[in-house]
Amino acid sequence: MTSTQERPAAEIGAPRKRKEDARLITGRTRWTDNVVLPGMLHLAMVRSPFAHARILGIDTEAAENAPGVMAVLIGTDLADEQGALPNAWAVVPEQKAPTHPSMAVDHVAFAGEIVAMVVARTAAEADDAAELVDVDYEELPPALDLKASAADEVLAHPDLGTNVSAVWTFDSAESGTGQDVDAAIATARESGIVIEREIRQQRLIPAFMEPRSIVVDPTAEQLTVWSATQVPHFVRIFIALVLGIPEHKIRVIAPDVGGGFGGKLQFTPEEVLTVIAARRTGKPCKYSESRSESLMSAHHGRDQVQKVTLAATKDGTVTGFKAELLADMGAYLGLVTSAIPLLGALMYNGIYKFPAYRLTFTNVFTNKTWTDAYRGAGRPEATFAIERLMDELAAEVGADPLEIRERNWIKHEEFPFDTVTGMRYDSGNYEAATAKAKELFGYDALRAEQRRRRESGDPVQLGIGVSTYTEMCGLAPSRWLGSMGYVGGGWEHASVRMLPTGKVEVITGTSPHGQGHETAWSQLVADRLGVAFEDVEVLHGDTQIAARGLDTYGSRSLAVGGMAVLAAADRVIEKAKPIAAQLLEANVDDLDFTGGRFGVRGTESGMSMGELAFAVFQGHKLDGSDVERSLDADATLDPDDFSFPHGTHLCATEVDTETGGVKIRSYVSVDDVGLVVNPLIVEGQVHGGLAQGIAQALFEEAVHDESGTLLTGSFVEYLVPSAADLPAFVTARTETPATTNQLGVKGVGEAGTIASTPAVVNAIVDAVRHLGVTDIPMPCSPYRVWKALQEGTRS
Amino acid sequence: MTRVTVKVDGSSYTDDVEPRTLLVHYLREQLGKTGTVVGCDTGNCGACTVHLDGRSVKACSVLAVQADGHEVTTIEGLATNGQLHPMQQAFHENHALQCGYCTPGMIMQSIDLLAENPDPTEDQIRLGLEGNLCRCTGYQNIVRAVKAAAGGAK
Ligand code: FES
Ligand code: FES
């Protein structure tokens, strides 16, 4: 009756090929843009070409009369209905923010903001008609430069009276977690070393490959929304809160989703407007953005100015660290825009023991595209700053950068370690990861080659860049989120359903968009229940199926969502045990559960999970009203704490001192992400993360002109690297289990991105430091490297 | 409207299309070949790559009318009798995809690459895939998959 085979518990850790691939490699996919419904209408958005302007009038007549057009809607039509888009994180109680309408009503605050929407029979007709919408703007001076905007030179939102949204400070002396940083710096100025830097974290664009797309079906009882989103559960709640539609009348589906990287962690104007269009017309409506629209209007990431100061003794022992950050919010606060600097604010100490620490960030509005989460969200910025400074400190002391790091890092026997920022690092072994990285890299040989090239004055110089990192991941303990001003929680939910034929359905509240949860969660459950990997189906991304969940971001899915899956599977076993005892006519205490089978100790008697599932389905032999006729179980898990993956990355670059050209010669990453469920998936996550981090170092930057127009508005100008731009990576792991969850897993999604950017920039600076270069702004294009060399030689 | 007759994944279709219709939109919207996707509007991403008479083209840079009388193969037509094409198999074996959005185009381009050069070096593979962007994988496993498929073909 059952096809469930018994299988030893060997799934966790196995390099399982992914289940999801079968549909993805054959084109049997369901992207949101594939959804076609009877009578479906198409939307086109009219977007402001100006960064800051008053809307004097909009003439829609020509568009309304264009072929196929059903409606043209402008902001004044929607003023009552559209509400305001939410920000979910007040980093300080007095945080300021402008109202964020989905469609601008009387003014626009960034180029790309929606000012009108056309609803038509076909996408082409909608696009054509959108061209006919005539908007009369009065241009206003735009606030563009971050520093000038912080000083309120030009106001992005004159009504707000200031560009400053919030100022947040953490001081270790005040909070009792460390000493006074100003005193440490004063001492170092007298008798030690002080390193000061201003670092520009350029603006980046997440640039997921699948553009965003939304389909809304207003027919039938529930409003059904398909969206290319990372966060279907958030979208459901916010449609309810923003538009006043009762939550239980909304179903949100995130079908196959083509990447996100934080860029689809958002509740968007386009989602609101597609719902409005569908409700107004009574017909299903679809909006799919073009790439140019995506690059200009989907939220951007990074964009900070970091003023950082490191104090140390003469031998390179760090005595204090201070940072003052300016963070560009862009024109509006998205879901967690305000908290991006906060997510890094307690991590600038990295893997080190700093006695004193102060960090202040100032969130600033400008008339640019709003920013929000992008892979790493705050932690790449933190890691970059400290890892750049550690290299500068090493240069100042005249020591090897790895030696200086080791002098300051937390030793493996010192865990758990309470950091100067009040975080508790549960585990880690920086010595082991570094030793492994050095060996794989051939560190000493490369240093020798570097010396040779320097001595011979080779026009191509070799540089070695180091980056050691840790990050807090697994967002997040709900208590922590609450204490920091976030309105939501950080738990995750899962259900395990035992089907009559012995197959298993796992329902997860995480919402994968490339991470392979269908495979990894199957491995977890196959292991725990002793069923075959193939017999487990993982369902997700549909609020009607996965009713409870908080979705996928912040390297949380395995450490929080996966552990919820395990907890649910454990409950299935708990529920099954007394039933098995009844059916086997044995005492519960005499039962063993191994390899998917309940056995009566000391006898041959037993039954498999699959047989049990069928017996429960029949119910014939179950006795007693207290025995529930179901093995299904749910679990909601709130993590006790973060997990802290870490690692050592080493990068060798060849820098052509004549042209400024940079070539990555080798890249080694050794990451400690705790216990690994599927090494193939982990390796893939590391590769992808490295590529994005390297891209920040070398290629990518969202550039606006002096009127606030995005110059990098297509893939011609915004340089997402191709295969030809990237090196092969050597990746390896050490495994120090986390102690904050039952398996010892940590997160991996953001690690590569967090670590790689400083490794590359350190390598470039290291190659040319002897030529007087001590810094190069990102992205380190050939021109910028060349320019730094010219300036270095002059000084 | 212009009448076109195109053979797509082994079946013949005759349709009226607007002259400005791009091949990728014809495939997706008129024929329901949604395995082929659109990732940009400037011909840079390669997500839409299909084969036109056996050679890879970006279906967003070809008009449907240009395919008139020709043969198109999409990702959906690669497997034969339920057998995956060796390149599809290689992508699966080597974990060469994550979100999978670039994958149809990447596979079509990779097949073309090996047709041109059956035994490419790593650098030749990277150069040959230059017109196809992937945001997820960092390309390493894609390169590995193409190498594996080349090895298998020998
Ligand atoms: S969609 Fe054809 S190249 Fe991007
Ligand atoms: S697998 Fe996601 S873009 Fe390539």
Side-chain angles (χ1 to χ4, degrees):
Chain A
M1 211 39 244
T2 155
S3 67
T4 304
Q5 308 142 16
E6 287 181 14
R7 192 184 270 276
E11 283 292 343
I12 293 178
R16 273 281 183 189
K17 312 265 187 315
R18 295 197 323 167
K19 290 184 164 183
E20 327 24 24
D21 292 358
R23 64 179 189 276
L24 297 168
I25 56 177
T26 53
R28 212 160 34 75
T29 30
R30 195 176 303 143
W31 311 108
T32 299
D33 187 54
N34 295 359
V35 175
V36 174
L37 298 170
M40 190 171 81
L41 302 173
H42 297 261
L43 310 184
M45 303 297 169
V46 180
R47 295 176 185 275
S48 168
F50 301 113
H52 195 192
R54 206 167 283 133
I55 301 171
L56 300 178
I58 303 181
D59 183 353
T60 58
E61 200 186 324
E64 273 161 21
N65 293 327
V69 171
M70 318 302 281
V72 181
L73 298 172
I74 62 171
T76 45
D77 298 331
L78 309 181
D80 297 334
E81 187 178 353
Q82 68 174 341
L85 289 165
N87 167 258
W89 207 319
V91 294
V92 293
E94 64 278 11
Q95 174 171 293
K96 288 196 179 66
T99 305
H100 187 183
S102 292
M103 188 181 287
V105 179
D106 51 13
H107 71 280
V108 291
F110 73 97
E113 188 162 357
I114 298 168
V115 294
M117 145 171 93
V118 176
V119 188
R121 268 187 338 180
T122 69
E125 285 169 336
D127 287 339
D128 288 349
E131 301 271 321
L132 303 174
V133 174
D134 189 11
V135 187
D136 191 8
Y137 296 97
E138 179 195 331
E139 275 190 80
L140 299 170
L144 296 171
D145 179 73
L146 179 51
K147 283 187 191 170
S149 299
D152 283 342
E153 282 179 21
V154 177
L155 293 181
H157 299 274
D159 290 354
L160 212 58
T162 176
N163 291 326
V164 174
S165 172
V167 180
W168 184 96
T169 299
F170 172 85
D171 185 297
S172 62
E174 269 167 35
S175 64
T177 51
Q179 299 158 15
D180 177 36
V181 77
D182 288 328
I185 293 170
T187 310
R189 277 198 208 286
E190 267 170 35
S191 57
I193 299 169
V194 176
I195 312 241
E196 285 166 290
R197 277 281 187 285
E198 185 174 295
I199 297 167
R200 186 82 173 104
Q201 292 286 334
Q202 79 269 34
R203 181 176 273 252
L204 300 178
I205 305 182
F208 34 76
M209 286 311 296
E210 180 206 17
R212 297 172 306 162
S213 181
I214 303 130
V215 173
V216 178
D217 184 358
T219 63
E221 191 51 34
Q222 275 192 319
L223 186 80
T224 305
V225 178
W226 287 262
S227 182
T229 180
Q230 291 173 231
V231 288
H233 295 93
F234 286 30
V235 170
R236 183 190 198 203
I237 292 170
F238 286 117
I239 288 176
L241 293 177
V242 171
L243 291 172
I245 301 170
E247 188 182 352
H248 61 297
K249 299 288 186 188
I250 306 163
R251 173 185 185 186
V252 178
I253 302 169
D256 284 322
V257 175
F261 319 109
K264 289 175 181 168
L265 163 50
Q266 194 56 271
F267 180 59
T268 67
E270 292 82 0
E271 282 163 336
V272 170
L273 295 175
T274 311
V275 171
I276 290 178
R279 300 231 295 167
R280 290 234 176 163
T281 57
K283 291 288 177 195
C285 284
K286 178 192 276 186
Y287 170 72
S288 294
E289 68 183 0
S290 69
R291 176 58 60 186
S292 350
E293 285 183 290
S294 187
L295 291 174
M296 138 167 85
S297 66
H299 72 244
H300 293 175
R302 312 279 191 267
D303 208 345
Q304 292 184 0
V305 173
Q306 307 168 297
K307 236 181 104 190
V308 283
T309 309
L310 190 72
T313 59
K314 281 232 148 51
D315 73 342
T317 304
V318 176
T319 54
F321 172 85
K322 187 167 89 167
E324 285 163 21
L325 315 180
L326 295 180
D328 191 343
M329 308 286 97
Y332 296 107
L333 297 185
L335 271 189
V336 296
T337 305
S338 42
I340 301 306
L342 176 63
L343 290 169
L346 303 174
M347 297 303 293
Y348 279 73
N349 48 319
I351 64 171
Y352 309 110
K353 295 182 275 191
F354 288 1
Y357 187 100
R358 180 161 71 234
L359 183 141
T360 300
F361 65 79
T362 304
N363 286 345
V364 180
F365 291 111
T366 60
N367 292 115
K368 292 184 183 170
T369 306
W370 37 327
T371 59
D372 207 317
Y374 172 52
R375 204 171 194 170
R379 290 152 293 157
E381 295 91 318
T383 304
F384 186 88
I386 189 55
E387 289 305 295
R388 278 290 296 120
L389 288 181
M390 291 308 274
D391 258 34
E392 294 307 308
L393 178 61
E396 193 71 32
V397 174
D400 183 280
L402 279 171
E403 257 173 61
I404 285 291
R405 284 172 171 78
E406 179 152 23
R407 193 164 302 163
N408 288 287
W409 76 42
I410 303 157
K411 307 293 177 294
H412 69 271
E413 65 275 8
E414 292 174 307
F415 291 94
F417 186 87
D418 292 324
T419 76
V420 71
T421 65
M423 305 296 282
R424 168 162 289 198
Y425 292 177
D426 62 326
S427 71
N429 191 333
Y430 310 144
E431 295 90 335
T434 302
K436 194 162 187 173
K438 272 180 89 168
E439 190 194 320
L440 287 168
F441 190 65
Y443 191 81
D444 297 333
L446 281 166
R447 282 281 180 217
E449 179 183 336
Q450 179 182 41
R451 274 194 298 278
R452 282 199 302 279
R453 289 205 194 196
R454 279 198 187 170
E455 281 155 17
S456 69
D458 193 324
V460 177
Q461 288 291 317
L462 182 69
I464 294 170
V466 175
S467 167
T468 50
Y469 76 98
T470 186
E471 55 147 329
M472 56 184 225
C473 75
L475 273 177
S478 298
R479 287 169 60 90
W480 185 88
L481 289 170
S483 73
M484 288 288 170
Y486 181 60
V487 298
W491 47 265
E492 196 45 84
H493 187 78
S495 317
V496 174
R497 295 187 199 145
M498 296 301 304
L499 305 183
T501 56
K503 309 290 186 195
V504 185
E505 273 176 353
V506 176
I507 294 120
T508 176
T510 61
S511 197
H513 38 283
Q515 293 86 347
H517 297 175
E518 291 165 37
T519 301
W521 290 194
S522 294
Q523 291 179 268
L524 293 176
V525 171
D527 238 18
R528 204 40 71 98
L529 297 184
V531 298
F533 172 77
E534 297 77 14
D535 286 348
V536 185
E537 189 72 20
V538 177
L539 306 175
H540 58 80
D542 179 345
T543 60
Q544 196 165 81
I545 294 166
R548 283 167 59 72
L550 290 172
D551 306 317
T552 288
Y553 43 84
S555 304
R556 71 187 304 267
S557 291
L558 179 60
V560 190
M563 296 309 100
V565 167
L566 274 189
D570 285 341
R571 284 194 185 154
V572 169
I573 298 169
E574 263 169 56
K575 278 179 89 173
K577 210 163 182 185
I579 297 174
Q582 209 179 77
L583 294 173
L584 293 167
E585 295 172 353
N587 196 317
V588 172
D589 299 333
D590 293 334
L591 288 189
D592 281 332
F593 181 68
T594 46
R597 186 173 180 276
F598 286 98
V600 184
R601 217 170 294 127
T603 72
E604 294 290 288
S605 164
M607 66 196 299
S608 72
M609 209 34 141
E611 288 165 330
L612 204 56
F614 190 69
V616 171
F617 167 72
Q618 287 182 306
H620 297 168
K621 297 193 183 121
L622 296 189
D623 214 15
S625 57
D626 56 329
V627 177
E628 193 186 343
R629 267 63 168 172
S630 163
L631 294 177
D632 300 356
D634 283 14
T636 304
L637 184 131
D638 204 337
D640 293 333
D641 208 337
F642 293 97
S643 68
F644 296 92
H646 69 83
T648 299
H649 288 211
L650 296 171
C651 174
T653 57
E654 288 177 355
V655 178
D656 186 327
T657 56
E658 285 159 5
T659 65
V662 172
K663 182 174 170 256
I664 295 183
R665 183 160 114 185
S666 61
Y667 196 103
V668 170
S669 87
V670 175
D671 298 284
D672 193 320
V673 296
L675 180 118
V676 166
V677 174
N678 184 323
L680 274 187
I681 292 178
V682 163
E683 201 192 12
Q685 285 289 322
V686 171
H687 290 163
L690 293 177
Q692 285 180 11
I694 292 170
Q696 176 175 10
L698 294 181
F699 308 115
E700 293 180 19
E701 178 170 28
V703 183
H704 293 79
D705 69 11
E706 61 287 356
S707 67
T709 305
L710 181 67
L711 294 176
T712 50
S714 82
F715 279 157
V716 178
E717 301 90 11
Y718 191 80
L719 301 179
V720 170
S722 78
D725 299 318
L726 291 169
F729 315 116
V730 176
T731 59
R733 284 184 281 106
T734 54
E735 196 170 305
T736 313
T739 63
T740 49
N741 59 67
Q742 67 151 304
L743 270 194
V745 299
K746 309 175 191 173
V748 66
E750 296 160 298
T753 309
I754 289 170
S756 57
T757 313
V760 175
V761 176
N762 278 341
I764 299 170
V765 173
D766 185 60
V768 292
R769 185 183 291 284
H770 64 293
L771 301 173
V773 176
T774 56
D775 208 3
I776 301 169
M778 294 187 288
C780 302
S781 61
Y783 173 69
R784 284 187 174 161
V785 175
W786 178 83
K787 198 162 151 249
L789 278 161
Q790 301 307 305
E791 284 161 9
T793 320
R794 264 202 303 276
S795 64
Chain B
M1 288 286 182
T2 310
R3 174 145 302 191
V4 294
T5 298
V6 189
K7 197 166 181 194
V8 181
D9 295 337
S11 304
S12 202
Y13 300 86
T14 299
D15 282 298
D16 291 329
V17 298
E18 269 194 65
R20 66 170 170 173
T21 304
L22 299 173
L23 177 59
V24 70
H25 289 138
Y26 173 63
L27 291 171
R28 285 181 56 79
E29 281 148 31
Q30 270 179 272
L31 304 188
K33 294 274 178 188
T34 50
T36 302
V37 296
V38 179
C40 73
D41 41 19
T42 48
N44 287 91
C45 77
C48 61
T49 306
V50 297
H51 291 174
L52 185 64
D53 296 334
R55 292 307 312 269
S56 70
V57 294
K58 290 180 173 174
C60 71
S61 310
V62 175
L63 295 170
V65 293
Q66 291 175 287
D68 185 28
H70 295 275
E71 199 169 322
V72 174
T73 307
T74 79
I75 189 76
E76 294 173 58
L78 275 188
T80 41
N81 305 324
Q83 271 302 106
L84 292 177
H85 185 283
M87 192 62 78
Q88 290 172 310
Q89 192 64 38
F91 268 60
H92 174 57
E93 298 286 335
N94 292 281
H95 184 35
L97 58 146
Q98 289 178 31
C99 78
Y101 199 76
C102 71
T103 308
M106 213 46 106
I107 288 176
M108 300 312 284
Q109 181 60 24
S110 299
I111 292 171
D112 190 58
L113 191 157
L114 289 194
E116 274 281 280
N117 178 357
D119 190 18
T121 63
E122 166 150 355
D123 281 349
Q124 287 169 334
I125 296 173
R126 286 180 179 272
L127 276 176
L129 296 177
E130 205 175 18
N132 290 66
L133 297 178
C134 173
R135 193 56 156 168
C136 297
T137 64
Y139 304 102
Q140 180 139 330
N141 289 346
I142 294 176
V143 173
R144 200 184 282 171
V146 177
K147 255 190 231 163
K154 266 183 276 178

